Amino acid sequence: MRDFSGADGSAHSHDFLGAGHDANARRTRWVVLITALMMVAEIIAGYKTGSMALLADGFHMATHAGALGIAAVAYAYARRNVGNPRYSFGTGKVGDLAGFASALVLGVIALGIAVESAFRLASPVSVAFGDATLVAVIGLAVNLVCAALLSGGHHHGHDHHAHGHGHGHGNDHHGHGQGDNNLRAAYLHVLADALTSVLAIVALLAGRYAGWVWLDPAMGIVGAIVIARWSWSLMRDTSAVLLDTADPQLVVEIRDCVESLGDARIRDLHVWQIGPGVHAAIVSVSGISPETARERLRPVHELAHLTVEAH
C-alpha cells in the first residue's frame, strides 16, 4: 500500500512485506524440510555404515538447516506481527535481520571449511573416495531441487527504474540488494552447499583416478573463498538496510521530482528502506505546499510511506 500521508495523523496500513512474502515463506519451509530429511538420513546412514564422509556431510547440512530455519521463522514472525503497533514501520525489515544472521553463519561455515582444508593440505588424510563421491552426488541433487524451489522467488535487484505498480511494494527494486534478502540468504546457503558438492565431486574423481589427493583440500579452499564473498555481499546489503542507509539514486530522484520546476526547495530529506523494494521518506519542503510536493512524488514508486512537512 502506498501511504502518501502528511501530518494529519490519519490511520493507514504499515504492511510493507514483499508481494511474494507468503509464497517465499512456503518455498523456504519446503527447503527446510528437504534439508532436514537429508541431514537425518545421512547421519543415520553414516552411523550404520561407519562412513565418516556421510556423518560429516550430515552434520554440515545441519548448519544449513539451522540457517534456513532462521529464514522460515523470520517469514512467520513478520507475517504474524504485520499489524503490531510496536513496529512503527511494520515488519518488512525482519527478513533483512534474518538475512544478516544467515550471512554470519555463511561466513563461519566458509572459515571452518578453509581451516579444515588448510590442515588437510598440510597433512593429507586417507579419503574413502567411493562413499565421499556418493555423498557429494546425493547432496548436489538435493541442493539442485532446493535451488529450483527458491529460484521462483529469487530476484536480483539491480535496475534503478524497474518500478512496480499496484500496491507499490513487492517486486520493484531500487539499487542493489533491495529485494527479499531473507530469501536471498536461503538461496545462497543452498548455492554454497551445491558449490561445495560440485568442487568435491571434481576433486574426488581426480583423487580416485589420477591420484591427486591434494586437489580435495585445494578445492575446499576455493569453495571457502567463494562462499566468503557471498557472505560479505549479503552482510553488506542487509546491514545497509538495518542501518537505514539512504539509496543515493533514490535521493536524487526525489530531489529532481520536487525541485525540477525551480519553485521549490527541499530543506531536509530522510529516506530509508522499510521492506523488500519499498522505502519511506520524510521531506521538508519550502516554496510549495505539502499537497503539491506529494503529487510531484507520486511517480516515485519505491516510496510506500511518505511524510511531507512545510518548512
Side-chain angles (χ1 to χ4, degrees):
M1 176 178 294
R2 301 193 72 205
D3 225 344
F4 275 46
S5 51
D8 57 2
S10 57
H12 45 253
S13 169
H14 288 108
D15 178 2
F16 300 122
L17 303 181
H21 180 92
D22 294 335
N24 292 343
R26 286 192 296 272
R27 291 187 181 97
T28 304
R29 287 196 296 270
W30 274 110
V31 170
V32 171
L33 177 62
I34 293 170
T35 304
L37 289 175
M38 181 66 186
M39 171 196 74
V40 172
E42 285 189 344
I43 291 175
I44 292 175
Y47 274 117
K48 286 189 174 182
T49 63
S51 170
M52 284 305 298
L54 280 170
L55 277 175
D57 199 64
F59 287 113
H60 171 74
M61 289 200 74
T63 61
H64 285 287
L68 292 166
I70 291 174
V73 170
Y75 278 123
Y77 184 87
R79 171 57 68 193
R80 187 168 59 249
N81 289 276
V82 73
N84 191 331
R86 291 177 57 203
Y87 298 97
S88 297
F89 287 94
T91 53
K93 290 166 70 171
V94 170
D96 294 285
L97 180 60
F100 185 83
S102 289
L104 291 177
V105 174
L106 266 180
V108 171
I109 290 172
L111 180 61
I113 293 174
V115 171
E116 179 66 19
S117 297
F119 278 128
R120 292 196 177 195
L121 197 59
S123 302
V125 297
S126 59
V127 179
F129 291 109
D131 285 348
T133 304
L134 176 62
V135 169
V137 170
I138 294 173
L140 178 60
V142 170
N143 287 315
L144 290 177
V145 171
C146 292
L149 280 171
L150 294 175
S151 63
H154 178 72
H155 303 282
H156 297 281
H158 297 293
D159 297 328
H160 172 65
H161 287 293
H163 298 314
H165 297 279
H167 294 300
H169 66 290
N171 294 329
D172 47 331
H173 305 285
H174 194 294
H176 296 272
Q178 309 247 333
D180 189 334
N181 281 322
N182 194 27
L183 187 71
R184 179 184 169 201
Y187 191 69
L188 286 182
H189 274 282
V190 171
L191 285 186
D193 251 356
L195 174 67
T196 55
S197 296
V198 170
L199 294 178
I201 291 170
V202 172
L204 290 168
L205 290 176
R208 184 172 187 175
Y209 296 108
W212 297 351
V213 179
W214 57 270
L215 192 60
D216 184 55
M219 285 295 193
I221 292 175
V222 171
I225 292 172
V226 174
I227 295 170
R229 284 175 58 88
W230 288 344
S231 170
W232 171 250
S233 173
L234 181 60
M235 200 178 305
R236 178 195 62 208
D237 292 342
T238 52
S239 63
V241 176
L242 295 174
L243 294 173
D244 294 332
T245 302
D247 183 335
Q249 289 179 305
L250 184 55
V251 169
V252 170
E253 186 175 355
I254 291 172
R255 288 191 176 277
D256 286 345
C257 286
V258 174
E259 300 178 339
S260 59
L261 296 180
D263 59 347
R265 182 179 177 188
I266 291 179
R267 300 289 183 173
D268 193 21
L269 176 61
H270 301 275
V271 183
W272 68 101
Q273 187 171 332
I274 52 177
V278 294
H279 296 71
I282 299 175
V283 183
S284 179
V285 63
S286 63
I288 57 175
S289 69
E291 290 75 16
T292 301
R294 284 196 293 272
E295 284 302 316
R296 291 184 182 182
L297 288 171
R298 284 191 180 278
V300 186
H301 293 287
E302 292 89 353
L303 291 181
H305 191 287
L306 174 64
T307 301
V308 182
E309 62 177 7
H311 181 77

